[in-house]
Amino acid sequence: MSDVTLCECFARDGLQHEETFIPTATKVALIDRFARIGFQRVEATSYSNPKVVPQFGDASELLRTLPRRDGVWYKATCANVRAVERAVADLDAGFGANEISLLVSASESHSMKNLRRSRADQWQNVADMVAASQGRFRMIGTVSVAWGCPFEGRVSADSVLEDVRRFAQLGVMHVALGDTTGMASPRTVKQLMSAVHAELPDVATVAHFHDTRGTGLVNYVAALEAGCRYFDCAFGGVGGHPAKVKYGGGHTGNVSTEDLVNLFESMGVSTGIDLAGLMETAAMCEEALGRTLHSRVAQSGLNPLLGVAAHG
């Protein structure tokens, strides 16, 4: 039994950043591989408008051909009611996702830039999406820019708490808090996570941090110490905002899966991930994108004290 649940985000949050379309068969092979090496949650795709995010124009085809493993949650990101209706239709056809995510921004400016809606309009959109989902998926709420906004700066912790509260009132009991452009520190992570857990103990928090300024790993340790047990990561630290929606600048990627797994396992925190398989999968991800990815462990190898044989 693992101590934490990791969600592998390479195929969705990772690939949305890629200008080049990755073949559906390649994505399917990688997602299946993620599940086989022990990931209990995998971001599979997004029901996005292909004109805005071309990478996911194959969402239904990918899900139709994706092998499934018992006990694994395959997530599809949904931006609006139309996306949820597509997710329901695919489920009716026998091959849909079993988890969907619903997104709000903690700041008004980021909501307008990223979602093209005011926060009030987006909350109405989320309520309509929950209704359209018919209770057929596990729902993951996400609060973007929860620790700071690239346009407005500081974000009120009370405002984020209210967003988590609103998700819970809608029956969304897993809520990801996103450090979207890398502004959090261990102190602010502990403060916000602890406040959420104290007020809403039935909500399972998910840490979704980007490694923009190299603070992703220390912030994940802070989240762990504050009682968080769900963590998002992506092989090679890929990802960020969609390729056609630029903000934040610099290195926008997720926390590297290899580095996070290596750290947690070195701390005695069981991730449930096959460590030899982890390294082989990292190489497959690099091959899929045709470049060296942003992972210390992929280049240096796992901590030798973990006792995993090195792979060439």
Side-chain angles (χ1 to χ4, degrees), residues 118-138:
S118 68
R119 273 175 46 81
D121 287 348
Q122 181 59 12
W123 270 113
Q124 183 58 56
N125 183 43
V126 166
D128 293 343
M129 291 163 68
V130 170
S133 72
Q134 303 170 14
R136 299 176 65 187
F137 306 89
R138 183 166 81 171

Side-chain angles (χ1 to χ4, degrees), residues 173-224:
M173 302 308 290
H174 289 72
V175 180
L177 300 178
D179 184 24
T180 311
T181 58
M183 296 189 194
S185 69
R187 181 176 61 86
T188 58
V189 168
K190 277 190 176 179
Q191 286 173 342
L192 182 55
M193 285 281 189
S194 297
V196 172
H197 297 153
E199 183 176 332
L200 298 155
D202 293 337
V203 171
T205 55
V206 182
H208 181 97
F209 297 167
H210 288 252
D211 206 23
T212 316
R213 293 171 180 83
T215 56
L217 289 177
V218 291
N219 286 337
Y220 272 179
V221 172
L224 178 77

Side-chain angles (χ1 to χ4, degrees), residues 125-192:
N125 183 43
V126 166
D128 293 343
M129 291 163 68
V130 170
S133 72
Q134 303 170 14
R136 299 176 65 187
F137 306 89
R138 183 166 81 171
M139 294 178 292
I140 310 291
T142 298
V143 183
S144 294
V145 299
W147 279 277
C149 170
F151 312 113
E152 297 182 19
R154 294 190 186 280
V155 168
S156 160
D158 290 341
S159 171
V160 176
L161 257 174
E162 175 60 23
D163 286 341
V164 179
R165 216 176 282 126
R166 291 179 75 167
F167 272 125
Q169 288 166 355
L170 289 168
V172 180
M173 302 308 290
H174 289 72
V175 180
L177 300 178
D179 184 24
T180 311
T181 58
M183 296 189 194
S185 69
R187 181 176 61 86
T188 58
V189 168
K190 277 190 176 179
Q191 286 173 342
L192 182 55

